[in-house]
Amino acid sequence: MAFPKILLIRLSSLGDIVLTTPAIRAVRANFPNAHIAMLVAKQSADVLRENPNLDEIITFDRLAKDKDTGEMWRIVRLLRERKFTLAIDLQRKFRTEMLMYLSGAPERVGKGWLCTTRVLEQGNKHVTAHYFDLLHAVGISAEDPKLELFLAESERRDTVQRLKTAGVVDTRLKVGLFPGAGWKLREWMPERFAAIGDRLVQHFDANVLIFGGQKESELVHTVANLMQRRVIPFAGNLQIRQLAACIEQCDLFVTNDTGPMHIATAVGTPTISLFGPGNHIRFQPLGALHETIRHAVPCSPCKQFTDKCKDNICMKGIGVDEVWDSISRVLGETA
């Protein structure tokens, strides 16, 4: 059966949107002539710009003062005007299920009772596999979990100039560090990131670039000030796509479990990812380019986001030498 107008829904954060790109690609491969739209949070929509597998990006403002009334009904009216014939709820929450139902799409795939095809999550596996389960339930083939983020050549040229202006020496290795995370307990200790940065300069003569979002400026500068050697901080002054283009220029990205980790994966930069309270099976980068470091403790992964943990033993258990061994191996192979 052909579905000429297809709606995909995922409202939540930056990394979650990047993780939907294999499903988007699979839907396009199965329906090359369909009109495919994606409903996403306005705050994360830029990661899908330039994606050739989408015809339309519809944005929901999750920060709107009237998001539960005015913004909700604005989106409903827009969706109904599009007359979608198939909708797939990749988020599987009540709000997204309700939006899917109110869109008027006759075929609706998701978890709840308002769906015409219900798919419950089976087992602890990578989130891309859970997305594929939704597609498989309506006969859409999907196998390749590779993430994607599409950058324009103009964005790449601007980034090369940005890095040059900041003092990055193009002939040296470029290693990005991301000490922040959306959740404080996911953050590795600043002094340990600083120790890694110093070793990178000492042993590889590397450009060390420390990245952070608008709320992480203080953390970025804390790490930079703890370092004894030259470092180039980028804190809060990059938009999402500018950050992605900078990460693409890096030879390696050392990061906590957070959205930019998925961006690095999507632009093809090797990663070393530090996991603590998060579910590494569900969210770790996949493929030979990527390494995950974690320590199994009884309380990990955490059952919910909380700041009540007093010890943070899952992150404290990751030592500098352990991370350095991974970095040396990866950069040694690159060299």
Side-chain angles (χ1 to χ4, degrees), residues 172-184:
R172 297 176 184 169
L173 284 169
K174 295 183 282 292
V175 180
L177 306 181
F178 202 93
W183 183 19
K184 201 70 177 175

Side-chain angles (χ1 to χ4, degrees), residues 214-234:
Q214 292 183 350
K215 297 180 180 180
E216 294 160 334
S217 179
E218 182 178 348
L219 176 60
V220 167
H221 288 292
T222 294
V223 175
N225 291 335
L226 286 169
M227 285 183 58
Q228 304 300 312
R229 297 175 181 271
R230 185 176 181 275
V231 63
I232 303 170
F234 289 93

Side-chain angles (χ1 to χ4, degrees), residues 81-139:
E81 288 172 1
R82 297 295 191 274
K83 300 185 184 303
F84 291 107
T85 50
L86 169 65
I88 303 174
D89 177 13
L90 297 170
Q91 190 150 346
R92 299 199 262 201
K93 299 292 185 182
F94 177 74
R95 182 194 296 273
T96 50
E97 182 186 339
M98 182 61 71
L99 283 168
M100 181 171 64
Y101 175 76
L102 293 174
S103 76
E107 297 288 335
R108 302 179 301 278
V109 186
K111 181 177 72 172
W113 292 104
L114 296 176
C115 303
T116 57
T117 300
R118 295 186 67 208
V119 184
L120 301 181
E121 289 195 356
Q122 300 292 326
N124 186 22
K125 55 189 176 183
H126 200 266
V127 67
T128 55
H130 286 298
Y131 293 156
F132 287 172
D133 286 345
L134 292 165
L135 305 187
H136 295 159
V138 286

